[in-house]
Amino acid sequence: AMVSNAFIYHADALMFDLEDSVILREKDAARRLVFHALQHPLYQNVETIVRVNALDSDYGVADLEAVVRGGVDIVRLPKTDTAQDVIDIENHIARIEAECGREPGSTGLLAAIESPQGITQAVAIAHASPRLIGIALGAEDYVRNLRTERSPEGTELLFARCAILQAARAAGIQAFDTVYSDANNEAGFLREAAHIKQLGFDGKSLINPRQIELLHNLYAPTRQEADHAQRVVDAAEAAAREGLGVVSLNGKMVDSPVIERARLVLSRAALSGIREE
Ligand SMILES: CC(=O)SCCNC(=O)CCNC(=O)[C@H](O)C(C)(C)COP(=O)(O)OP(=O)(O)OC[C@H]1O[C@@H](n2cnc3c(N)ncnc32)[C@H](O)[C@@H]1OP(=O)(O)O
Ligand SMILES: O=C([O-])CC(=O)C(=O)O
Ligand SMILES: [Mg+2]
């Protein structure tokens, strides 16, 4: 039911999971279901991601064969511990693309880091393949590996989140935060989402449709922020026409980092609209 309904919720991308939310005896059926969903007309204008099983499991390579042939946009590799894990999946994807006549390099890759080993290797992982569109944190497995649990403040995740952000930005790719597992706790979700937005994440994996609008609204700038960003960009363009690199807007210095931040605000307004307070 979820696979056939998911496209109605206006998520930025839809992620089909073949890994930890599918029990072992359903792995083959789930793979077939996803293979067909990827080719369904309803999913042609939606960005699709499939989380495959680990390549060293009994299912990983079969998952890849199905989803690359099915036309998935991005493959999510779970539990990425080393750059070699990325290179291994990269090699399989390149082979399958060649075999099925898909444009070489057209399948994107998203590596989820879910262990202390992966966090220590985050920089190498983030640089391991030109297919990588981003890296992501998988916090449920990560806290299990740390031998702790998630707190409302997220203190136990701060190091991992910063490591992932640093590595992603150093490699020029995106950084995605982990799921918030309590689908009925709106206040807790919003608190965590505000925290990861402030750290600099590009977005977050969601597990329930009710979280989509909450996150889009949080990432949408306020009317005041969008108007200010527009004034900054207007002032910068006027200054550039006069050959100036720095201008003053109501006494505040506007130079290149300020202008770039203003452009980011405007691009978020274009994507998510204006925040409803
Ligand atoms: C640690 C990890 O690996 S996380 C990643 C793997 N796990 C997942 O992807 C879990 C996906 N999410 C879910 O299974 C569920 O949302 C749960 C278990 C979190 C909550 O379950 P419920 O409380 O039963 O969901 P809820 O009552 O909010 O569902 C409302 C509607 O949304 C649909 N829905 C719920 N979650 C999703 C989803 N992830 N995708 C699409 N549709 C969904 C339900 O089918 C239901 O539709 P209906 O009204 O047509 O019947
Ligand atoms: O990657 C995610 O966000 C979900 C996940 O597998 C985890 O938290 O272990
Ligand atoms: Mg996990």
Side-chain angles (χ1 to χ4, degrees), residues 90-104:
E90 156 82 38
N91 290 339
H92 277 287
I93 293 175
R95 170 183 60 75
I96 301 164
E97 281 177 344
E99 283 172 11
C100 71
R102 191 173 162 164
E103 191 189 332

Side-chain angles (χ1 to χ4, degrees), residues 139-140 150-152 161 178-193 204-212 214:
E140 298 297 334
R150 291 174 74 174
S151 65
R161 282 177 166 145
T178 186
V179 299
Y180 186 79
S181 301
D182 185 356
N184 292 328
N185 184 351
E186 190 172 309
F189 173 81
L190 285 172
R191 176 181 175 155
E192 179 168 280
K204 187 169 173 62
S205 292
L206 306 178
I207 49 156
N208 188 278
R210 287 193 298 281
Q211 298 175 328
I212 298 171
L214 295 175

Side-chain angles (χ1 to χ4, degrees), residues 215-258:
L215 193 71
H216 280 170
N217 195 44
L218 187 88
Y219 268 79
T222 62
R223 169 52 56 205
Q224 208 182 359
E225 287 167 342
D227 289 349
H228 178 71
Q230 191 61 57
R231 283 195 294 275
V232 167
V233 169
D234 290 347
E237 283 171 1
R241 283 194 293 275
E242 292 171 31
L244 299 170
V246 183
V247 276
S248 159
L249 186 64
N250 304 328
K252 285 201 187 130
M253 180 178 78
V254 173
D255 62 356
S256 123
V258 177

Side-chain angles (χ1 to χ4, degrees):
M2 286 187 192
V3 170
S4 58
N5 282 348
F7 70 93
I8 68 177
Y9 294 114
H10 302 294
D12 293 332
L14 288 176
M15 178 149 39
F16 299 115
D17 186 23
L18 298 176
E19 198 220 14
D20 281 352
S21 64
V22 178
I23 56 169
L24 292 185
R25 68 167 186 274
E26 295 286 349
K27 292 285 185 191
D28 296 332
R31 183 186 312 117
R32 277 197 295 276
L33 196 64
V34 166
F35 175 70
H36 290 297
L38 289 170
Q39 295 166 84
H40 195 282
L42 289 170
Y43 288 105
Q44 297 319 300
N45 297 320
V46 186
E47 186 174 54
T48 52
I49 308 173
V50 179
R51 181 165 77 165
V52 296
N53 288 283
L55 287 192
D56 59 5
S57 72
D58 289 344
Y59 316 102
V61 175
D63 290 348
L64 266 187
E65 295 276 354
V67 304
V68 173
R69 286 169 205 273
V72 74
D73 295 310
I74 295 158
V75 173
R76 180 174 173 114
L77 178 66
K79 303 188 176 74
T80 313
D81 290 334
T82 63
Q84 190 60 48
D85 290 342
V86 176
I87 294 165
D88 290 346
I89 196 167
E90 156 82 38
N91 290 339
H92 277 287
I93 293 175
R95 170 183 60 75
I96 301 164
E97 281 177 344
E99 283 172 11
C100 71
R102 191 173 162 164
E103 191 189 332
S106 61
T107 315
L109 197 50
L110 174 58
I113 298 179
E114 313 192 34
S115 69
Q117 195 194 353
I119 290 297
T120 61
Q121 298 296 317
V123 174
I125 289 170
H127 288 85
S129 163
R131 285 179 197 272
L132 280 169
I133 61 116
I135 54 176
L137 175 63
E140 298 297 334
D141 278 292
Y142 179 71
V143 295
R144 175 176 62 81
N145 285 317
L146 276 191
R147 298 193 204 148
T148 182
E149 57 195 47
R150 291 174 74 174
S151 65
E153 302 75 27
T155 323
E156 68 292 339
L157 294 180
L158 188 56
F159 180 79
R161 282 177 166 145
C162 293
I164 283 183
L165 264 165
Q166 289 288 319
R169 297 298 179 240
I173 60 176
Q174 298 183 79
F176 296 104
D177 192 48
T178 186
V179 299
Y180 186 79
S181 301
D182 185 356
N184 292 328
N185 184 351
E186 190 172 309
F189 173 81
L190 285 172
R191 176 181 175 155
E192 179 168 280
H195 173 65
I196 62 103
K197 180 189 170 205
Q198 178 60 30
L199 286 176
F201 279 92
D202 296 292
K204 187 169 173 62
S205 292
L206 306 178
I207 49 156
N208 188 278
R210 287 193 298 281
Q211 298 175 328
I212 298 171
E213 188 52 40
L214 295 175
L215 193 71
H216 280 170
N217 195 44
L218 187 88
Y219 268 79
T222 62
R223 169 52 56 205
Q224 208 182 359
E225 287 167 342
D227 289 349
H228 178 71
Q230 191 61 57
R231 283 195 294 275
V232 167
V233 169
D234 290 347
E237 283 171 1
R241 283 194 293 275
E242 292 171 31
L244 299 170
V246 183
V247 276
S248 159
L249 186 64
N250 304 328
K252 285 201 187 130
M253 180 178 78
V254 173
D255 62 356
S256 123
V258 177
I259 299 162
E260 283 310 306
R261 280 203 301 273
R263 289 194 202 283
L264 178 63
V265 170
L266 291 180
S267 81
R268 283 189 175 154
L271 290 166
S272 293
I274 298 297
R275 188 182 314 169
E276 287 170 27
E277 296 292 352

